[in-house]
């Protein structure tokens, strides 16, 4: 027995000794263009008597063990990419080697392509950023809008707004999406007049190759409205391999989606094609917020010598029901009202999906004399508020490697947006329609009134009114289209020139021409025959309007934009530094077709509306002598300067710092009020930003920690209130805001089958000083005085949670099967507010702080082993959103009252309840 024990001890000692004298080479295999891991890449290790290797995991990590000290050749390969080798020396510890592979059909300097698209590079670009790769998009996006997946990024707060498909909004570091630049393949897509991003214009989730969010100062070279950050969406294109993918999805609320994508890979003559199409429908998780959309995407690319040409077209013609405005908390839930100390609402407790902006209608014909009803139609559901739009966008890119030192990138693009939003309108020019006792739009009552609304005359003989049954009937309430179409043309030309192996100079120009077409048109007269003209001072007030005729307002907004940039970049393996600046000239003009025409005499303009005259210097002028009102060009100059540096302290640790100042031009709707009158004292807004960051990067661990400080001077905000029953539009200008905070993210590969990711963000965002308030009604009537001072100093900035905590896991118990839970907490969320009552220093109070929100999502899926000669892949995916069915505040205002601290005046949207999606995909 003793001999057996001794032998066992000797064997154990020998195994330990061997284990202690062999080591591992670990690392990651990445796509050089996007920084994504390449799952399944092959790593081969040769030398020192060894010939071994392994495969990369889903995030591109690999590990080759059992290597003695010595020098090895490590070779990484992946189908469709060029093979890359490194000489690696193994000493008395484990060694790492990371590979950045280039597509084998690429002739361009991929790093320069990345730079031209404004994509940040790890351990090089001195900005805080996070990337979402294609794998994570497929596994966790579910049936949500694209911004919702970014909630796992520190400093990001995204919600689904009123709940209509595509109505999501995103907030970065307390700045709403009007102040977050969104680029698709390097092309800006923020609305040129408001800065808004309408996510319903595209359904890009299935064609997105990589999604990167840069917080604070961005890596983009062109001048964009980046205050909180930049979102850069890279779609599939010329670097994709030959593939076909068909997908079908279903889920809660009758959600259905079918899609097909085809990629040719590189064909004869160096051509490549990618095409995608989808069909999506849903009843919506908000009452009657239907969704009906088609999506198309196509890319054609061609390599011609040192050029890579790429033509991309995409669009998503769609319509969906919306829930435009928040409602009193008690209207949704008596329990939630009690939770914040608000009173119950009579007729409330309707549920969190309650939507007042729809009703039912039965149309019919009615004989005016006999009052007999005929031709009764079936009952229909009619949306008072909905959206319809189609925004085709075409981009033509040319990446040109002129020589080893000079790289030129150019893009020309065009966008033709057509559509708008549906709303109600009354003959008094109010968009508030009457409701029934159950809180829905009273379409039937409106129809019944309109269908009987014949004119009458007073009969002097009978002393009674005689109804004129042969005349047309006027609609007192009806539906209109609020058209917001546009024509947008632009181009960006940039060049990178290598002064030497360490210094690169970049410069370029950015030009844009934009014309927005804004008007209301009669959509549905709801039983009547015509509507009276409203708001058109050049038309007879008795003019009868029919479906398709313009009403209420009609103007064009023109924007001309010319910008330039210059950048100097120094880069070594240890230190990267960049200094850059932009200069832009922006011009705005408003052309108003409904304002009274003007005649100009001796440099002085005079209004001459319908049936009016002006006698000047003895000559009488009529409307026929006048011209459509065009404002003079409002010209602004904007600029930005920024500098940053990244220092790789060791192979695994880096520090970065950046500072910058952005003199940002106000948007079009901050220059002119709804009457087309230019606001006084409109100034460019000044944003000063500073940031310091630290990063740790290992094959199995990545962590970042950064602190930021942003001071926004002369900030402008716009809001709407319905306290009086008619919307009142408010604009506050020349107010300062200070945003500061810290952010941390961690991604840890605990084992091959288990990965962890976590994020923490702590912010402190407050207003500073006082601003100027102006208000107008929907009828263009000024409310209160011009430039009324408001006192906001020290009040917390609302509309987004300032603290964020996120924890997620990805567990793969067996090959091909994954489970991804994600738990998210938002706190320190202050309600958005209208500062209407903070008109004196003594009246200043803080905004209302909402309860903490908690949400758990669960995603899981399984991919079968390839079949049919290992060419066909079949996978299944499922998601359960809001697993715990918890309801919490997501978007909060107090449109009904200006008392910012009283919970009873808050109006809100809540999140969706528990929902699920199931999907199946078949790919080649």
């Amino acid at each position: 027995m003793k001999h057996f024990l001794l032998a066992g001890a000797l064997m154990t000692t020998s195994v330990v000794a061997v284990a202690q004298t062999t080591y591992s080479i670990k690392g990651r295999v990445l796509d050089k263009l996007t920084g994504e891991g390449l799952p399944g890449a092959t790593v081969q290790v040769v030398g020192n008597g060894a010939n071994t290797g392994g495969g990369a995991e889903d995030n591109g990590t690999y590990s080759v063990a059992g290597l003695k000290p010595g020098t090895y050749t490590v070779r990484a390969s992946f189908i469709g990419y060029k093979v890359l080798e490194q000489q690696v020396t193994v000493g008395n510890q484990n060694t790492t080697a990371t590979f950045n592979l280039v597509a084998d059909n690429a002739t361009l300097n991929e790093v320069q392509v990345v730079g031209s698209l404004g994509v940040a590079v790890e351990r090089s670009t001195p900005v805080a950023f996070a990337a979402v790769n294609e794998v994570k998009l497929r596994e966790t996006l579910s049936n949500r809008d694209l911004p919702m997946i970014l909630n796992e990024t520190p400093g990001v707060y995204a919600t689904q707004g009123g709940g209509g498909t595509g109505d999501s909004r995103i907030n970065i570091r307390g700045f709403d999406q009007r102040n977050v630049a969104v680029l698709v393949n390097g092309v800006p897509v923020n609305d040129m007049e408001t800065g808004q991003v309408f996510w319903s214009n595209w359904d890009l989730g299935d064609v997105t190759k990589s999604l990167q969010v840069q917080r604070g100062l961005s890596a983009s070279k062109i001048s964009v409205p980046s205050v909180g950050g930049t979102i850069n969406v890279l779609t599939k294109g010329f670097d994709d391999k030959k593939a076909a993918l068909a997908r079908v999805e279903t889920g809660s609320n009758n959600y259905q989606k079918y899609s097909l994508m085809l990629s040719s890979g590189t064909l004869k003559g160096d051509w490549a094609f990618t095409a995608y199409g989808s069909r999506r429908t849903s009843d919506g998780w908000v009452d009657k917020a239907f969704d009906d959309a088609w999506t198309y995407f196509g890319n054609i690319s061609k390599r011609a010598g040192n050029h890579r040409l790429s033509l991309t077209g995409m669009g998503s013609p769609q319509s969906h029901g919306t829930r435009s405005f928040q409602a009193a908390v008690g209207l949704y839930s008596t329990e939630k009202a009690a939770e914040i100390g608000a009173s119950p609402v009579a007729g409330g407790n309707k549920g969190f999906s309650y939507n007042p902006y729809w009703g039912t209608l039965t149309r019919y014909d009615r004989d005016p004399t006999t009052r007999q009803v005929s031709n009764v139609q079936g009952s229909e559901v009619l949306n008072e508020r909905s959206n319809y739009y189609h925004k085709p966008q075409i981009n033509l890119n040319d990446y040109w490697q002129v020589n080893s030192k000079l790289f030129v990138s150019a893009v020309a693009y065009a966008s033709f947006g057509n559509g708008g939003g549906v709303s109600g309108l009354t003959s008094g020019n109010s968009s508030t329609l009457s409701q029934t006792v159950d809180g829905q739009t009273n379409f039937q009552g409106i129809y019944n009134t309109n269908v009987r609304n014949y004119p009458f005359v007073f009969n002097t003989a009978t002393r009674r009114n005689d109804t004129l049954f042969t005349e047309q009937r006027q609609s007192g309430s009806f539906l209109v289209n609020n058209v917001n179409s546009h024509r947008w043309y632009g181009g960006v030309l940039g060049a990178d020139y290598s002064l030497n192996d360490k210094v690169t100079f970049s410069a370029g120009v950015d030009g844009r021409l934009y014309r927005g077409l804004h008007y209301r048109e009669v959509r549905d007269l709801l039983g009547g025959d015509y509507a009276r003209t409203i708001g058109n001072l050049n038309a007879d007030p008795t003019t009868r309007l029919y479906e398709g005729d313009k009403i209420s307002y009609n103007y064009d907004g023109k924007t001309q934009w010319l910008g330039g940039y210059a950048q100097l970049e120094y880069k070594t393996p240890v230190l990267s530094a960049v200094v850059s600046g932009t200069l832009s000239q922006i011009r705005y003009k408003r052309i108003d077709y409904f304002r009274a025409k003007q005649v100009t005499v001796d440099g002085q303009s005079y209004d001459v509306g319908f049936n009016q005259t002006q006698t000047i210097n003895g000559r009488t002028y009529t409307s026929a002598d006048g011209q459509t009102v065009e404002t003079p060009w409002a010209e602004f100059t904007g600029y930005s300067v920024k500098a940053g540096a990244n220092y790789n302290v060791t192979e695994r640790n880096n520090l970065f710092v950046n500072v910058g100042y952005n003199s940002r031009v106000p948007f079009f709707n901050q220059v002119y009020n709804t009457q087309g009158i230019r606001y006084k004292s409109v100034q460019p807004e000044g944003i000063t930003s500073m940031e310091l960051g630290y990063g740790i990067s290992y094959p199995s661990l990545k962590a970042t920690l950064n602190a930021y400080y942003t001071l926004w001077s002369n900030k402008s905000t716009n809001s709407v209130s319905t306290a009086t029953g008619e919307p009142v539009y408010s604009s506050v200008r020349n107010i300062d805001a200070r945003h500061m905070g810290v952010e941390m993210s961690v991604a840890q590969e605990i084992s091959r089958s288990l990965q962890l990711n976590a994020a923490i963000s702590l912010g402190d965002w407050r207003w500073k000083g006082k601003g100027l308030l102006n208000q107008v009604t929907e009828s263009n009537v000024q409310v209160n005085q011009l430039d009324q001072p408001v006192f906001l100093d020290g009040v917390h900035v609302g509309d987004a949670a300032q603290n964020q905590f996120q924890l997620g896991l990805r567990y793969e118990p067996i090959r091909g099967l994954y489970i991804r839970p994600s738990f998210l907490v938002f706190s320190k969320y202050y309600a958005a507010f209208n500062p209407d009552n903070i008109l004196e220093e003594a009246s200043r109070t803080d905004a209302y702080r909402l309860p903490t929100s908690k949400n758990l999502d669960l995603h899981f899926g399984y991919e079968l082993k390839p079949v049919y000669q290992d060419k066909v892949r079949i996978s299944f995916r499922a998601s359960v959103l809001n697993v715990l069915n918890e309801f919490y505040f997501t978007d909060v205002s107090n449109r009904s009252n200006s008392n910012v601290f009283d919970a009873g005046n808050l109006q809100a949207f809540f999140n969706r309840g528990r929902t699920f999606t199931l999907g199946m995909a078949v790919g080649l």
Side-chain angles (χ1 to χ4, degrees):
M1 185 67 177
K2 291 181 179 179
H3 293 291
F4 282 113
L5 292 175
L6 178 59
L10 290 173
M11 290 177 63
T12 302
T13 303
S14 300
V15 170
V16 171
V18 171
Q20 289 177 338
T21 56
T22 61
Y23 303 94
S24 300
I25 297 177
K26 300 179 179 180
R28 298 185 73 197
V29 183
L30 308 173
D31 181 311
K32 189 172 185 178
L33 178 62
T34 66
E36 299 175 10
L38 296 175
T42 300
V43 178
Q44 184 180 13
V45 178
V46 179
N48 202 26
N51 188 347
T52 184
E57 303 295 338
D58 285 340
N59 61 353
T61 60
Y62 73 90
S63 178
V64 180
L67 302 174
K68 298 178 181 179
T71 300
Y72 298 87
T73 298
V74 184
R75 180 182 297 109
S77 61
F78 191 67
I79 297 175
Y81 290 79
K82 294 181 179 179
V83 176
L84 191 62
E85 292 184 352
Q86 291 187 41
Q87 296 296 316
V88 177
T89 299
V90 176
N92 57 358
Q93 61 182 356
N94 295 331
T95 304
T96 61
T98 297
F99 294 85
N100 292 281
L101 302 188
V102 176
D104 61 10
N105 63 347
T107 61
L108 307 178
N109 183 328
E110 299 292 348
V111 174
Q112 289 177 321
V113 173
V114 167
S116 70
L117 296 176
V119 178
V121 179
E122 188 176 273
R123 290 172 56 85
S124 177
T125 310
V127 298
F129 71 94
V132 180
N133 62 24
E134 189 175 356
V135 172
K136 185 174 181 179
L137 278 168
R138 300 295 168 268
E139 293 183 354
T140 66
L141 184 58
S142 185
N143 64 341
R144 299 176 293 176
D145 296 339
L146 198 60
M148 298 303 297
I149 200 173
L150 297 177
N151 266 330
E152 297 187 6
T153 301
V156 173
Y157 180 76
T159 81
Q160 292 177 292
T165 302
D167 290 345
S168 293
R169 67 182 185 91
I170 191 168
N171 202 299
I172 300 180
R173 292 180 175 175
F175 302 106
D176 65 32
Q177 63 186 22
R178 293 172 300 176
N179 305 295
V180 174
V182 179
L183 308 174
V184 177
N185 295 329
V187 173
V189 297
N190 294 74
D191 185 87
M192 288 286 289
E193 295 181 331
T194 67
Q196 288 284 8
V197 178
F198 303 99
W199 298 98
S200 58
N201 290 340
W202 311 280
D203 184 11
L204 293 177
D206 288 331
V207 296
T208 296
K209 185 175 180 65
S210 180
L211 178 66
Q212 187 179 89
V213 55
Q214 301 169 15
R215 306 185 298 276
L217 296 175
S218 75
S220 176
K221 296 174 182 177
I222 63 176
S223 179
V224 287
S226 175
V227 180
T230 300
I231 297 173
N232 208 327
V233 181
L234 299 183
T235 63
K236 292 180 177 294
F238 61 80
D239 59 333
D240 290 310
K241 299 177 292 295
K242 184 176 183 179
L245 180 66
R247 182 181 291 116
V248 59
E249 296 173 289
T250 187
S252 302
N253 308 305
N254 202 26
Y255 170 76
Q256 304 285 334
K257 184 175 182 180
Y258 309 90
S259 61
L260 176 65
M261 181 158 47
L262 303 172
S263 296
S264 69
T266 303
L267 302 174
K268 184 178 180 180
D270 288 325
W271 288 91
F273 303 87
T274 298
Y276 169 83
S278 74
R279 172 71 169 135
R280 187 189 70 226
T281 59
S282 172
D283 294 338
W285 63 272
V286 171
D287 291 343
K288 303 303 183 290
F290 70 93
D291 175 34
D292 188 348
W294 297 83
T295 294
Y296 57 87
F297 170 90
N299 176 271
I300 304 174
S301 68
K302 163 70 174 172
R303 185 176 62 191
N306 291 337
H307 292 265
R308 169 65 76 174
L309 302 173
S310 178
L311 177 65
T312 302
M314 57 186 173
S316 186
Q318 59 81 38
S319 60
H320 68 274
T322 64
R323 183 168 55 169
S324 299
F325 299 113
Q326 296 98 323
V329 177
L331 201 57
Y332 301 110
S333 168
T334 300
E335 180 182 349
K336 283 294 179 183
E339 182 181 324
I340 63 172
S343 301
V345 174
N349 206 35
K350 295 179 178 295
F352 297 104
S353 62
Y354 170 62
N355 177 16
Y357 300 108
W358 67 272
T360 58
L361 173 62
T362 299
R363 301 176 191 262
Y364 57 87
D365 295 332
R366 181 175 183 271
D367 188 285
T369 55
T370 65
R371 301 182 181 180
Q372 292 295 313
V373 172
S374 62
N375 195 26
V376 178
Q377 306 296 309
S379 178
E380 63 178 294
V381 172
L382 204 57
N383 286 75
E384 179 189 342
R385 301 272 177 167
S386 61
N387 176 274
Y388 66 99
Y389 216 81
H390 182 202
K391 178 185 169 68
Q393 180 162 316
I394 303 171
N395 302 345
L396 176 61
N397 293 77
D398 179 11
Y399 303 109
W400 180 22
Q401 189 74 57
V402 182
N403 52 46
S404 61
K405 289 182 173 292
L406 179 61
F407 173 81
V408 176
S409 65
V411 57
Y413 60 90
S415 174
F416 310 95
N418 294 282
V422 177
S423 71
L425 194 67
T426 70
S427 56
N429 203 28
S430 170
S431 61
T432 303
L433 299 185
S434 61
Q435 292 185 326
T436 60
V437 292
D438 61 356
Q440 302 305 138
T441 304
N442 188 13
F443 282 119
Q444 195 63 59
I446 293 170
Y447 189 92
N448 293 342
T449 299
N450 290 342
V451 83
R452 294 167 170 79
N453 194 29
Y454 288 95
F456 55 83
V457 295
F458 182 71
N459 188 322
T460 56
T462 62
R463 311 296 296 176
R464 298 176 63 182
N465 291 325
D466 291 340
T467 302
L468 304 178
F469 291 119
T470 59
E471 296 292 326
Q472 291 184 324
R473 301 156 295 182
Q474 180 183 347
S475 291
S477 296
F478 44 94
L479 291 178
V480 295
N481 294 324
N482 303 292
V483 176
N484 185 31
S485 299
H486 70 252
R487 306 292 179 262
W488 183 355
Y489 308 92
V492 182
L493 176 64
D496 301 330
Y497 183 75
S498 299
L499 299 175
N500 54 49
D501 60 348
K502 296 179 181 179
V503 181
T504 300
F505 175 73
S506 303
V509 293
D510 166 29
R512 312 176 203 178
L513 294 175
Y514 180 95
R515 186 168 189 143
L517 313 176
H518 310 281
Y519 55 88
R520 277 180 172 156
E521 65 180 8
V522 179
R523 178 185 178 93
D524 189 336
L525 288 165
L526 298 177
D529 296 310
Y530 71 93
R532 291 289 189 193
T533 187
I534 298 174
N536 188 352
L537 300 181
N538 298 309
D540 186 337
T542 64
T543 299
R544 297 183 177 188
L545 302 180
Y546 303 94
E547 291 179 3
D549 288 339
K550 295 180 174 63
I551 190 170
S552 189
Y553 62 81
N554 182 15
Y555 71 93
D556 291 352
K558 298 178 69 174
T559 301
Q560 297 179 352
W561 177 303
L562 181 62
Y565 71 87
Q567 175 177 292
L568 196 63
E569 183 178 19
Y570 173 85
K571 182 181 292 187
T572 69
V574 174
L575 177 65
S576 299
V578 61
V579 178
S580 67
T582 68
L583 181 66
S584 53
Q585 182 74 30
I586 293 92
R587 308 172 75 209
Y588 298 131
K589 177 189 285 287
R590 177 169 164 142
I591 306 170
D592 203 319
Y593 303 102
F594 275 14
R595 283 181 62 185
K597 290 186 177 181
Q598 292 183 342
V599 294
T600 302
V601 180
D602 297 331
Q604 181 68 37
S605 296
Y606 302 87
D607 289 345
V608 188
F610 173 81
N611 207 27
Q612 293 179 341
T613 61
Q614 286 277 5
T615 301
I616 308 167
N617 297 335
R619 179 181 171 182
T620 300
Y621 298 86
T622 68
S623 179
D625 301 310
Q627 300 293 323
T628 299
V629 175
E630 291 193 24
T631 65
W633 285 103
E635 299 186 357
F636 298 90
T637 300
Y639 65 90
S640 68
V641 290
K642 57 187 178 183
N646 178 86
Y647 179 61
N648 295 326
V649 182
T650 68
E651 187 181 1
R652 303 299 170 203
N653 300 269
N654 69 291
L655 291 169
F656 76 84
V657 61
N658 63 57
V659 296
Y661 180 80
N662 184 1
S663 177
R664 202 191 72 169
V665 170
F667 292 118
F668 181 94
N669 68 335
Q670 295 166 339
V671 176
Y672 303 104
N673 67 13
T674 56
Q675 298 169 302
I677 306 300
R678 182 172 173 176
Y679 286 120
K680 298 179 180 179
S681 306
V682 176
Q683 305 175 34
E685 301 168 339
I687 300 100
T688 303
S689 298
M690 294 174 283
E691 185 168 14
L692 178 66
Y694 169 66
I696 300 174
S697 180
Y698 286 86
S700 60
L701 172 66
K702 290 187 180 296
T704 62
L705 175 66
N706 55 282
Y708 65 90
Y709 177 93
T710 302
L711 179 64
W712 190 343
S713 302
N714 299 324
K715 183 177 181 180
S716 297
T717 64
N718 297 303
S719 58
V720 61
S721 170
T722 56
T724 62
E726 180 181 8
V728 174
Y729 299 89
S730 299
S731 173
V732 176
R733 310 189 320 280
N734 299 358
I735 184 68
D736 297 346
R738 186 263 295 149
H739 294 232
M740 58 189 296
V742 294
E743 300 162 341
M744 182 178 72
S745 64
V746 177
Q748 170 75 59
E749 183 179 4
I750 299 172
S751 67
R752 186 208 66 80
S753 60
L754 181 62
Q755 294 90 42
L756 173 148
N757 63 283
I760 298 176
S761 178
L762 304 175
D764 185 54
W765 315 327
R766 296 175 185 265
W767 297 100
K768 294 178 66 66
K770 62 183 180 180
L772 301 175
L773 168 69
N774 284 287
Q775 297 176 302
V776 295
T777 67
E778 198 165 43
S779 303
N780 294 331
V781 177
Q782 182 74 35
V783 178
N784 299 323
Q785 71 180 57
L786 284 169
D787 291 341
Q788 172 70 53
V790 292
F791 298 86
L792 297 176
D793 191 52
V795 175
H796 281 91
V797 174
D799 200 36
Q802 302 194 18
N803 292 344
Q804 169 194 15
F805 308 90
Q806 185 271 336
L807 179 64
L809 296 172
R810 188 185 189 279
Y811 179 51
E812 190 173 348
I814 61 174
R815 180 75 67 175
L817 175 66
Y818 70 85
I819 303 172
R820 295 188 75 144
S822 178
F823 185 65
L824 190 62
V825 175
F826 284 116
S827 66
K828 199 179 177 183
Y829 177 18
Y830 291 89
F833 62 92
N834 298 329
D836 307 14
N837 72 332
I838 313 180
L839 306 181
E840 298 178 359
E841 187 77 22
S843 66
R844 184 175 68 249
T845 55
D846 206 352
Y848 187 85
R849 181 168 175 169
L850 280 303
T852 296
S853 65
K854 307 178 185 68
N855 184 78
L856 174 64
D857 294 334
L858 181 62
H859 312 278
F860 47 94
Y862 182 65
E863 182 171 320
L864 304 177
K865 292 182 179 180
V867 296
Y868 298 107
Q869 300 179 346
D870 290 341
K871 292 182 178 180
V872 178
R873 295 179 177 271
I874 302 174
S875 61
F876 301 89
R877 292 193 174 95
S879 294
V880 181
L881 305 177
N882 192 7
V883 175
L884 304 178
N885 204 34
E886 294 281 345
F887 291 93
Y888 47 86
F889 296 88
T890 59
D891 304 79
V892 182
S893 73
N894 68 326
R895 295 181 303 106
S896 64
N897 194 284
S898 57
N899 189 341
V900 299
F901 59 85
D902 186 349
N905 294 319
L906 295 177
Q907 299 199 349
F909 288 139
F910 289 82
N911 61 304
R912 71 165 83 181
R914 184 190 299 118
T915 57
F916 73 91
T917 57
L918 299 172
M920 174 183 175
V922 179
L924 293 174

